[in-house]
Amino acid sequence: MEELLLKPRTLEHVKIFWEKSQDEEIERLFPFNRGTLSDAIKLYEESLKPGARSFGKVIYIDGVYIGDVWCYGIDENDDKRAFVSIVIFDKTYWGKGIGKRALKQFCQLVFERYAINKLCAFTYIDNKRSIGSLEGSGFKKMEDFIEDGVVSCYFELSACEESL
Ligand SMILES: CC(C)(COP(=O)(O)OP(=O)(O)OC[C@H]1O[C@@H](n2cnc3c(N)ncnc32)[C@H](O)[C@@H]1OP(=O)(O)O)[C@@H](O)C(=O)NCCC(=O)NCCS
């Protein structure tokens, strides 16, 4: 099995990720609010400050940088939850079980690092790989909903289920 490592994000990763994820197929599967490169750099710098509400890692397979996994909306005080997203920008690595492994590792890390009880995720109902990798790493579907005419799914992983 390939060696999967989650490493700290650097400014160089932010630039590569921004360029590589400028891709119609990725944007269709995962409509993140992209903004400019300088917006992405600003968000990255914010994420390094103490008390930041987001935290990310970069995914390496056999020494190759292939994508990012991150959480946002971290709330340790009231809702005790955070939201998770993952993008493998190098499509040659899709469908090989890497997303599932990366999510598992990352969720474990986040539960150790933050005082939260659950992780939440959204995806489109026709994004089978995303749903498969979420379910494969322990997330449970809580509901389907329609947003802008598209059916989306909301998933949760609770801290106790993650450790099973
Ligand atoms: C979503 C993403 C991270 C998933 O990672 P991945 O490595 O491609 O997915 P995995 O190989 O881990 O697939 C997980 C499961 O999905 C299912 N799956 C994989 N490919 C599939 C396909 N083509 N059709 C249907 N199901 C599929 C399988 O059940 C698999 O589980 P298994 O290994 O137990 O059989 C990756 O495809 C990606 O970056 N896509 C673009 C961005 C995106 O959609 N992000 C999601 C935001 S939440």
Side-chain angles (χ1 to χ4, degrees):
M1 197 188 277
E2 314 91 341
E3 185 191 42
L4 172 82
L5 282 179
L6 298 184
K7 297 192 187 181
R9 246 161 112 222
T10 66
L11 183 56
E12 200 48 39
H13 291 119
V14 176
K15 291 177 185 166
I16 295 170
F17 183 87
W18 188 84
E19 256 167 49
K20 300 270 189 187
S21 54
Q22 297 241 358
D23 175 283
E24 261 181 41
E25 190 180 12
I26 294 177
E27 285 180 358
R28 198 161 30 80
L29 290 166
F30 182 64
F32 48 111
N33 189 357
R34 100 168 355 276
T36 63
L37 177 58
S38 64
D39 293 336
I41 293 172
K42 226 180 267 167
L43 283 173
Y44 164 67
E45 287 167 349
E46 288 295 319
S47 79
L48 300 177
K49 293 183 181 161
R53 285 168 62 90
S54 69
F55 166 70
K57 287 275 188 183
V58 290
I59 306 166
Y60 273 77
I61 282 288
D62 290 338
V64 181
Y65 171 40
I66 63 161
D68 284 24
V69 56
W70 68 96
C71 60
Y72 58 98
I74 302 166
D75 178 356
E76 294 183 284
N77 300 316
D78 301 318
D79 294 335
K80 296 207 167 281
R81 54 97 180 108
F83 295 88
V84 179
S85 286
I86 179 167
V87 172
I88 297 173
F89 56 70
D90 188 331
K91 299 178 197 174
T92 60
Y93 290 92
W94 285 3
K96 297 176 193 274
I98 295 168
K100 193 165 71 179
R101 287 169 62 202
L103 270 173
K104 264 192 185 168
Q105 270 193 35
F106 184 71
C107 294
Q108 195 176 347
L109 187 70
V110 171
F111 281 130
E112 283 164 12
R113 190 180 161 111
Y114 296 101
I116 56 169
N117 298 328
K118 66 179 177 183
L119 282 166
C120 317
F122 295 103
T123 193
Y124 289 147
I125 201 160
D126 58 3
N127 191 343
K128 301 294 179 212
R129 276 185 294 264
S130 171
I131 291 175
S133 59
L134 286 165
E135 288 179 338
S137 54
F139 280 80
K140 301 244 166 9
K141 183 149 92 167
M142 308 306 286
E143 65 171 13
D144 291 335
F145 60 96
I146 298 176
E147 194 175 60
D148 301 329
V150 183
V151 183
S152 298
C153 315
Y154 170 65
F155 284 86
E156 284 186 359
L157 173 69
S158 68
C160 52
E161 280 162 3
E162 179 273 341
S163 60
L164 291 178

